[in-house]
Amino acid sequence: MMKQTKWLINLSACLALITITVGATNFAPSSRHLSDGDTLVVSSSLPFSSDTVALPYASYQVGAVVDSISLPATDSGVRNYAPLEDFFAVLDSLQAGKDTVITVVQLGDSHIQAGHYSGRVMRLLQQQFGNAGRGWIAPFKLSKTNEPDDYFISSVAKEWIAGRCIQTNKKTPVGLGGIGIQSASPSINFDVMMAPNNGAGYSFNQAILYRGEKAMPMLPAGKLKDSIRTVLGVESVAPGVLADTFHISCQTDTLQLHSTRRKQGTDNLLPASSFRNVYYGFNLTNGNPGILYHSIGVNGAMFVNYTDENYVRQLALLNPSLLIISLGTNETFGRRFNRSEFMGQIEAFVSLVKKQMPHTAILLTTPPECYKWVTVNKKRTYVRNENTERAAKAIRDVADREGLACWDLFTATGGENSSAEWRRKGLMGRDRVHFTKEGYQEQGILLYRALMQTYNRYITDNDVR
């Protein structure tokens, strides 16, 4: 009856492992069976349980070839999926052909800022349900930190002050992406470009620039300027935030903008000193139905860094159907990890989210295991960070207490002592806290599989046919 029944999985019969490969730039939804031309292979890289799950039928040519990890059957899905039922219902309507956009936000720390983990989930969901655009991009390189590899935001202005949500005394206001950049230059430009290879498939025809209330607005420049209709923000859309919208008459991979000091509706130029030029980032969309997946991460971030009502009100501008909260690693490196204090911090943030985004489903994820430095016999060495296991249990307990969905990445990646195997397989970085690009992509596969397995369970339990 509905399209998704073509690929509905009988969970009790799934014994196949699937590895995902890259290359294709076509992100249209797919519900077909695998054919000889597909590039999926059977493989396994880590010695986990042989009980595995299959993915929905589709060709996932979205990233460099990596071996997929088998999931323990008892821990492969989302715990307590009832809070996600409304999200799965709209997902099902999208799969059935409804012309709509479903927004997902994944919020986190350095594991998310790099973009490899969340980027893999984004592309897989869009491969199955449709690509509505790249979503949120932030000017990380201008703030002198690492940026995802599928886009570039550059400027001729070189001297930028960067504010981040992790700063006790923030150097600038911060926006939706947890950062802000500020320049004293009287003339500012931004060149936005999707990376030719890694950004393939993310052309856009609308861009929203979020800026501070006193920042100079931007106007189109370059070859496309005459084909862009600009709507400059005049009233705050959230505390301290204005939004300029650029409607482009064609799909494009680039956007050039230049600041203006002209007072709207006049030919008068305002003095440069009257502006405080703070900019936060862009939201890129393409006008198509599908998944719009916003990845927001800040190196070093913890729950307390996002627990600010003004910030959550800004985050609510994205109107997510699902908010995936992937935090908890940085809290485990304090001198004394306190379970009760940590749980209180989670609950405080969740309380703000529920207040400002009452219709948004929340999915908590646990941090994976990692190492930490210790001194033994006057020598520094790596040891297993036992606090990540404690943090994972605390997150699961908060989810149970608050009635939230939870996905246990700690267990899905192998649980206790698993970090040694990830390190041996070349999936963990040299610092033994972060992961390689391939390691993060593996985690993205795991999260996607968990979501799809749980979605299929929802379909089965509700007899959606």
Side-chain angles (χ1 to χ4, degrees):
M1 181 176 178
M2 287 191 176
K3 292 182 180 180
Q4 74 278 4
T5 60
K6 296 180 181 179
W7 54 270
L8 180 61
I9 301 170
N10 184 340
L11 296 179
S12 64
C14 292
L15 296 174
L17 269 178
I18 294 179
T19 291
I20 299 176
T21 66
V22 169
T25 60
N26 177 15
F27 298 101
S30 172
S31 59
R32 60 183 176 83
H33 289 269
L34 300 180
S35 66
D36 293 339
D38 290 328
T39 54
L40 302 180
V41 297
V42 177
S43 180
S44 178
S45 64
L46 296 181
F48 298 147
S49 166
S50 60
D51 295 327
T52 61
V53 295
L55 294 177
Y57 302 119
S59 175
Y60 300 109
Q61 299 176 317
V62 293
V65 177
V66 292
D67 289 336
S68 65
I69 301 171
S70 64
L71 293 170
T74 56
D75 295 292
S76 53
V78 173
R79 292 162 52 96
N80 183 25
Y81 82 80
L84 302 185
E85 287 192 350
D86 288 345
F87 169 70
F88 287 147
V90 293
L91 198 64
D92 186 57
S93 68
L94 183 61
Q95 180 67 20
K98 185 177 180 180
D99 185 3
T100 189
V101 173
I102 297 175
T103 302
V104 178
V105 173
Q106 187 168 8
L107 181 71
D109 47 30
S110 55
H111 296 314
I112 303 302
Q113 180 174 324
H116 302 308
Y117 168 23
S118 50
R120 177 51 66 94
V121 185
M122 173 177 69
R123 288 193 177 246
L124 289 173
L125 285 173
Q126 291 175 340
Q127 176 73 18
Q128 185 61 57
F129 298 100
N131 171 17
R134 177 54 178 83
W136 179 259
I137 61 172
F140 285 116
K141 283 188 178 178
L142 293 179
S143 73
K144 296 181 173 59
T145 185
N146 61 301
E147 191 170 87
D149 62 8
D150 60 345
Y151 69 85
F152 305 99
I153 302 176
S154 59
S155 177
V156 294
K158 301 302 180 184
E159 299 300 323
W160 293 93
I161 299 171
R164 296 182 175 85
C165 63
I166 63 170
Q167 296 168 344
T168 303
N169 298 311
K170 296 176 179 56
K171 295 180 180 180
T172 73
V174 300
L176 287 73
I179 71 166
I181 58 170
Q182 180 176 349
S183 174
S185 173
S187 179
I188 297 171
N189 78 300
F190 287 121
D191 288 345
V192 178
M193 182 176 73
M194 303 313 300
N197 295 318
N198 294 326
Y202 286 123
S203 296
F204 54 93
N205 60 14
Q206 179 176 285
I208 301 176
L209 167 64
Y210 294 92
R211 59 184 171 92
E213 285 182 310
K214 295 184 178 181
M216 287 187 289
M218 293 280 172
L219 294 176
K223 295 180 180 179
L224 290 176
K225 67 178 182 179
D226 294 330
S227 65
I228 299 175
R229 180 170 62 88
T230 302
V231 180
L232 297 180
V234 293
E235 295 183 359
S236 298
V237 292
V241 179
L242 293 176
D244 299 333
T245 303
F246 305 94
H247 301 278
I248 309 166
S249 63
C250 59
Q251 297 285 344
T252 181
D253 290 325
T254 62
L255 176 65
Q256 293 179 288
L257 301 174
H258 202 285
S259 62
T260 177
R261 291 191 285 122
R262 192 177 305 279
K263 186 176 181 180
Q264 289 192 47
T266 73
D267 292 328
N268 299 328
L269 292 182
L270 298 171
S273 59
S274 65
F275 295 96
R276 186 187 183 191
N277 297 314
V278 179
Y279 302 93
Y280 302 127
F282 295 83
N283 180 11
L284 306 181
T285 57
N286 58 27
N288 296 325
I291 300 292
L292 187 62
Y293 199 104
H294 302 291
S295 176
I296 296 175
V298 176
N299 294 344
M302 299 182 285
F303 278 96
V304 295
N305 301 127
Y306 293 116
T307 308
D308 176 88
E309 187 153 14
N310 284 341
Y311 172 75
V312 178
R313 287 174 66 184
Q314 292 183 39
L315 192 64
L317 292 173
L318 299 176
N319 193 28
S321 294
L322 174 65
L323 174 63
I324 304 172
I325 304 172
S326 298
L327 293 162
T329 293
N330 291 302
E331 286 90 339
T332 68
F333 284 91
R335 289 188 177 182
R336 295 180 180 179
F337 175 78
N338 185 291
R339 168 187 163 85
S340 296
E341 182 179 354
F342 179 59
M343 292 178 69
Q345 292 166 350
I346 300 170
E347 290 169 341
F349 178 64
V350 166
S351 177
L352 280 180
V353 171
K354 287 182 175 180
K355 178 182 177 182
Q356 297 297 331
M357 293 180 273
H359 303 297
T360 297
I362 299 172
L363 173 63
L364 297 179
T365 74
T366 65
E369 186 180 69
C370 63
Y371 292 85
K372 65 179 179 180
W373 279 102
V374 296
T375 301
V376 179
N377 296 326
K378 297 183 180 181
K379 292 184 179 180
R380 298 191 74 187
T381 187
Y382 288 108
V383 298
R384 173 177 176 263
N385 183 358
E386 297 178 352
N387 285 338
T388 54
E389 185 169 10
R390 298 185 181 104
K393 187 178 186 308
I395 290 171
R396 294 194 302 266
D397 290 346
V398 169
D400 291 342
R401 193 156 73 187
E402 295 289 322
L404 303 175
C406 179
W407 179 59
D408 192 358
L409 176 61
F410 181 88
T411 299
T413 50
E416 184 177 348
N417 295 318
S418 62
S419 53
E421 187 64 18
W422 281 70
R423 173 69 176 165
R424 189 178 72 82
K425 291 289 185 180
L427 299 175
M428 185 169 254
R430 291 182 179 181
D431 66 359
R432 307 191 190 194
V433 175
H434 298 94
F435 294 81
T436 63
K437 178 178 180 178
E438 294 76 15
Y440 281 124
Q441 289 177 338
E442 291 277 11
Q443 293 177 16
I445 295 168
L446 291 176
L447 176 52
Y448 171 77
R449 290 172 64 171
L451 285 170
M452 288 300 93
Q453 182 174 358
T454 309
Y455 171 54
N456 290 333
R457 204 163 84 223
Y458 161 81
I459 297 294
T460 302
D461 291 350
N462 291 274
D463 195 25
V464 178
R465 299 177 180 234

